[in-house]
Amino acid sequence: MTFQDVARLDHQALAANLDTRLAGLDLAGRLSLVAGLGRAVFTTSLGIEDQVITAAIGTHRLPIEVSTLETGRLFRETVDLIAETEARYDLEIIRFYPTKDDVDAFVETYGINGFYDSVEARHACCRVRKLVPLAQALSGAEIWITGLRRGQSGNRATTPFAEFDAERNLIKINPLADWDIDRINAHVAAEHIPINPLHARGYPSIGCEPCTRAIKPGEPERAGRWWWENDEKRECGLHVSESHASDAQASEDPAARSSVIQRASAIR
């Protein structure tokens, strides 16, 4: 068995332990616990779930980096919300952008809006604008925090509080996994958390502008994402591995892997 095999087993055991511990804590407690395990990065898309997490990080002054993927094709409302959120919670949301060379190469191959033409082209666009910048955002991180919830789609119905992300070799934390949308909305109202005005216009899940539409009554929350495709479980590759997911893998650091496991030993 190689060192990588041992490290993978250790991380899987740590994730299983964390999954149990996190279930009994409130949101602030969940975030505080994982923030003490190592370098933690929260990637926000500025959606309503992510705003709840950002508000908790800012309100409790937690040592968690907040980053976003500025794809170059976000809604204006989303871009404006970045600055508003930074000012409200006195924190920096670090922007990660696609490179001009990558975007130019995509356009040359598929056309500026070629993602409408095939799943392959859409995955290629997501890779350029999301997966590669995500790799930069998570470089050197030991903990990745997300806003995934079980109620967002059938593909996410079994989302745990903690899991080992083998593609990126880190622990992935989903602190809102058990929150439903009613609880999210009630919390936002009670805490006066700023949210994207598009939510009130029928956009429960908001991504890039060309790839997102308002949903119809009775449709699932994520039905408006890549709405021209037939696969109900469609994803961009950030949270479900696509054919190019390996391109987003963060660099392995044996010392970092060891340190996060050692720091977690106190909660085992």
Side-chain angles (χ1 to χ4, degrees):
M1 181 177 290
T2 67
F3 177 85
Q4 287 76 14
D5 292 332
V6 173
R8 183 175 294 108
L9 290 174
D10 284 342
H11 273 85
Q12 289 171 339
L14 171 59
N17 181 272
L18 281 172
D19 191 60
T20 300
R21 289 295 305 272
L22 292 171
L25 301 174
D26 62 12
L27 176 58
R30 290 170 180 176
L31 292 171
S32 296
L33 175 61
V34 299
L37 298 180
R39 182 180 168 218
V41 174
F42 168 50
T43 53
T44 175
S45 66
L46 285 297
I48 192 167
E49 297 90 355
D50 292 343
Q51 287 297 95
V52 168
I53 296 174
T54 300
I57 292 171
T59 299
H60 297 281
R61 313 313 300 169
L62 298 175
I64 296 172
E65 297 176 31
V66 182
S67 300
T68 195
L69 309 181
E70 223 294 21
T71 65
R73 305 207 71 174
L74 299 179
F75 286 90
R76 170 50 54 186
E77 290 87 344
T78 302
V79 175
D80 291 344
L81 186 58
I82 296 174
E84 180 183 356
T85 303
E86 288 179 318
R88 170 68 181 276
Y89 297 105
D90 189 27
L91 51 73
E92 178 186 11
I93 299 177
I94 305 169
R95 284 84 154 167
F96 288 88
Y97 300 86
T99 69
K100 183 179 184 301
D101 287 347
D102 282 349
V103 172
D104 288 347
F106 173 85
V107 172
E108 182 177 353
T109 302
Y110 299 102
I112 185 66
N113 291 326
F115 44 80
Y116 290 128
D117 297 334
S118 70
V119 174
E120 175 193 357
R122 200 267 291 171
H123 285 174
C125 187
C126 288
R127 174 184 175 274
V128 166
R129 296 185 183 273
K130 291 185 175 182
L131 291 178
V132 173
L134 177 68
Q136 296 173 336
L138 296 179
S139 179
E142 297 160 281
I143 304 292
W144 177 22
I145 300 170
T146 85
L148 294 184
R149 293 189 298 107
R150 295 166 190 161
Q152 288 170 327
S153 70
N155 210 38
R156 300 179 178 185
T158 58
T159 297
F161 296 112
E163 56 190 312
F164 174 54
D165 187 324
E167 291 286 348
R168 301 176 177 91
N169 197 50
L170 43 65
I171 300 296
K172 184 176 179 182
I173 302 295
N174 311 303
L176 296 179
D178 60 340
W179 285 43
D180 61 25
I181 192 59
D182 291 336
R183 184 175 180 184
I184 292 283
N185 287 330
H187 184 80
V188 164
E191 299 296 326
H192 305 288
I193 296 172
I195 62 172
N196 197 318
L198 291 172
H199 289 312
R201 299 180 218 160
Y203 292 79
S205 179
I206 304 168
C208 292
E209 185 170 8
C211 300
T212 310
R213 66 159 172 81
I215 65 170
K216 302 171 184 176
E219 284 188 314
E221 289 183 32
R222 289 178 59 82
R225 304 293 294 277
W226 311 292
W227 38 268
W228 63 92
E229 295 180 11
N230 293 323
D231 183 3
E232 293 183 358
K233 293 186 176 182
R234 54 192 177 269
E235 295 274 355
C236 65
L238 294 184
H239 302 294
V240 176
S241 178
E242 301 285 8
S243 59
H244 297 298
S246 61
D247 293 311
Q249 184 173 355
S251 300
E252 293 190 4
D253 182 345
R257 288 198 300 265
S258 177
S259 66
V260 70
I261 292 168
Q262 291 173 354
R263 283 192 290 272
S265 63
I267 68 168
R268 290 190 173 185

